[in-house]
Amino acid sequence: MDYFNILPMEIIYDILTRIPAELVLDCKSVSKTWRNLIQDPSFSKMHVNRLNHHVESGEFGFLALESDMRRLYYFEYIENHEKRIDGIRRINLTPPLKCDKFVGSVNGLICLYEWSDTDRFCICNPLTKEYVFLPELMQKPGQYCSWVGFGYHPSTNEYKVVRVHELKTEPSFGEVMVYTLGSGSGWRSIGKFHLKFNHSCYSVNGIFVDGALHWKDREGMILVFDLADENFRAHVLPPPPSPTHSCFSIGVLNGFLYCAQRYHGSAVSYQLYLDLWLHRKKNVNYETNEHQSLGWTKEFTAAANKNVFAFTKSGSFLSYSSTYVNIYDPKGATAERLVDFRKQICQISSHKNTLVSLKDLGEENTKIRSKKAAINQPSSCS
């Protein structure tokens, strides 16, 4: 410890921003100087910036949501490591909110959504145990089929929650509401937009990637809502369908928008397949529908029962089915089971444990969850 005391403060700062967030919390008790440094808002921002480059090192973190919407599990995958799954931990979500939907995770903050007569959103950091309830939004008469999303604009360091409701009195029009964390402005209506809602469920999560939220409309177009200017960009066409294409879903893999197309092998076959495409071109100014399809590259074809959620550096991918997490090598067509949660899993999302503080962002009603509601110690999932 004496050696650290003689180091210049900028070197100590550089070292601490490179270690995992859990260890940083322990470092706060080392000295008053270290505690003040770590509690500075600029520290958490630098720490997140460094974490965002760890994907290249083969380190991934994820949250898995149980089908009963009540529990989350956090786990890490470390490629080329003897223990590939490191630290399976359960997050107790009772409190702060009955979770009807896990909207998403951005820089360590997770957004939870509860649907009732009022729309309730809760933002929390599972590691620091901070949480805040956003002001409730009353369901207006004639509103239904909500789209929800959570994202981040790095140039302004703004986290935004977006809710879109179709207006029954004005078919195919949606009112867009935006809440910017720490702004003090509450929910803002930014206007009505002509949208073609997908009525397959009462609410649809927006996919956050490249500074924008993405939803699929009922005609199969991908709508793109830019968080910077709070407006819809040019829509994106999905990749060309297979001859027997039946449906597709969208998500994010390693920082890119993906499109997963599920289809029958032939007109008379019951075997389902999945083509996974990545949209590798970012911020493309599309001029024609023909140009819109050029950003897609097909990564692989696999059995349709695989819910892919991450690629590895070696070209394999992680997927989940029922209670299991597997790693699949498309070249050798081999699979290895990594985790058995022993509970039904309905969603897995990328997640980073960070020190991002809701209070530092300006959320005055921020509270601290009790230790009983914190992340539990690692459990033995095999």
Side-chain angles (χ1 to χ4, degrees):
M1 184 61 203
D2 292 337
Y3 292 106
F4 275 97
N5 288 333
I6 64 175
L7 287 175
M9 189 56 63
E10 59 268 20
I11 294 181
I12 297 177
Y13 187 92
D14 184 73
I15 293 173
L16 293 178
T17 54
R18 295 176 183 272
I19 65 178
E22 298 92 330
L23 297 180
V24 174
L25 289 179
D26 295 334
C27 291
K28 290 174 65 176
S29 60
V30 171
S31 69
K32 184 177 180 180
T33 301
W34 283 28
R35 184 178 70 248
N36 292 338
L37 185 152
I38 292 169
Q39 289 178 342
D40 190 287
S42 64
F43 181 90
S44 64
K45 189 173 182 181
M46 175 62 74
H47 190 264
V48 167
N49 289 339
R50 292 197 187 279
L51 280 178
N52 287 335
H53 293 88
H54 276 192
V55 172
E56 298 178 0
S57 68
E59 298 180 15
F60 306 85
F62 304 98
L63 288 177
L65 177 66
E66 280 188 9
S67 295
D68 62 8
M69 308 290 184
R70 300 295 288 178
R71 284 169 291 275
L72 283 167
Y73 294 89
Y74 173 73
F75 65 95
E76 295 175 345
Y77 174 84
I78 304 175
E79 193 171 14
N80 298 325
H81 192 282
E82 291 182 1
K83 187 178 180 182
R84 286 180 170 176
I85 294 296
D86 185 20
I88 308 299
R89 285 167 281 181
R90 184 170 68 87
I91 301 174
N92 189 350
L93 290 182
T94 321
L97 178 74
K98 176 188 174 184
C99 178
D100 287 322
K101 274 195 176 293
F102 171 46
V103 180
S105 170
V106 180
N107 292 343
L109 299 180
I110 65 175
C111 179
L112 309 174
Y113 171 66
E114 180 184 26
W115 180 84
S116 60
D117 292 337
T118 59
D119 283 346
R120 301 183 71 206
F121 291 88
C122 177
I123 310 296
C124 64
N125 184 326
L127 185 66
T128 66
K129 302 187 287 293
E130 284 188 337
Y131 72 96
V132 65
F133 287 103
L134 305 190
E136 294 184 2
L137 278 168
M138 293 297 297
Q139 297 267 5
K140 296 179 181 179
Q143 287 186 333
Y144 56 93
C145 193
S146 170
W147 289 351
V148 293
F150 179 50
Y152 173 69
H153 190 251
S155 64
T156 58
N157 195 35
E158 290 181 328
Y159 295 81
K160 297 183 178 182
V161 181
V162 179
R163 187 200 74 165
V164 187
H165 267 174
E166 184 176 11
L167 303 176
K168 188 175 182 180
T169 55
E170 301 178 65
S172 296
F173 274 83
E175 181 183 15
V176 180
M177 305 287 292
V178 177
Y179 185 96
T180 303
L181 295 185
S183 67
S185 302
W187 287 99
R188 297 175 289 111
S189 174
I190 62 169
K192 300 176 183 178
F193 298 84
H194 187 265
L195 305 169
K196 298 178 180 179
F197 287 83
N198 188 330
H199 294 280
S200 59
C201 57
Y202 70 87
S203 63
V204 179
N205 287 357
I207 304 303
F208 173 66
V209 62
D210 193 22
L213 292 167
H214 301 70
W215 293 278
K216 185 182 74 170
D217 71 9
R218 68 169 175 260
E219 293 190 355
M221 296 291 290
I222 300 173
L223 277 61
V224 187
F225 183 80
D226 192 287
L227 291 176
D229 58 19
E230 296 183 350
N231 208 335
F232 284 92
R233 298 178 188 170
H235 301 341
V236 175
L237 281 177
S242 67
T244 59
H245 170 59
S246 56
C247 64
F248 76 88
S249 60
I250 60 174
V252 60
L253 282 175
N254 298 8
F256 294 100
L257 182 72
Y258 78 74
C259 178
Q261 295 180 337
R262 287 174 168 81
Y263 59 94
H264 291 279
S266 67
V268 295
S269 172
Y270 290 101
Q271 178 63 47
L272 282 172
Y273 294 94
L274 176 147
D275 287 344
L276 193 135
W277 300 71
L278 285 187
H279 198 259
R280 293 188 178 274
K281 291 188 177 181
K282 298 184 177 182
N283 295 322
V284 178
N285 292 321
Y286 299 115
E287 298 177 359
T288 67
N289 287 346
E290 180 182 0
H291 292 161
Q292 287 181 342
S293 64
L294 296 180
W296 297 100
T297 56
K298 185 189 288 189
E299 297 297 316
F300 57 81
T301 298
N305 64 340
K306 294 178 172 61
N307 296 293
V308 181
F309 63 89
F311 284 115
T312 69
K313 291 175 62 179
S314 62
S316 299
F317 62 84
L318 302 179
S319 66
Y320 70 95
S321 177
S322 184
T323 65
Y324 306 115
V325 169
N326 300 311
I327 183 169
Y328 182 81
D329 179 7
K331 296 180 181 178
T334 59
E336 176 187 352
R337 182 166 298 172
L338 297 178
V339 183
D340 182 357
F341 287 105
R342 304 183 181 93
K343 296 286 186 178
Q344 189 79 23
I345 298 299
C346 66
Q347 181 183 350
I348 293 183
S349 173
S350 296
H351 177 78
K352 304 179 182 71
N353 280 329
T354 74
L355 303 172
V356 174
S357 169
L358 292 166
K359 188 174 181 180
D360 288 344
L361 290 174
E363 283 297 321
E364 297 180 355
N365 295 322
T366 298
K367 298 179 181 179
I368 303 294
R369 297 165 67 189
S370 66
K371 291 184 179 180
K372 293 182 179 179
I375 298 180
N376 292 338
Q377 292 300 315
S379 61
S380 57
C381 289
S382 59

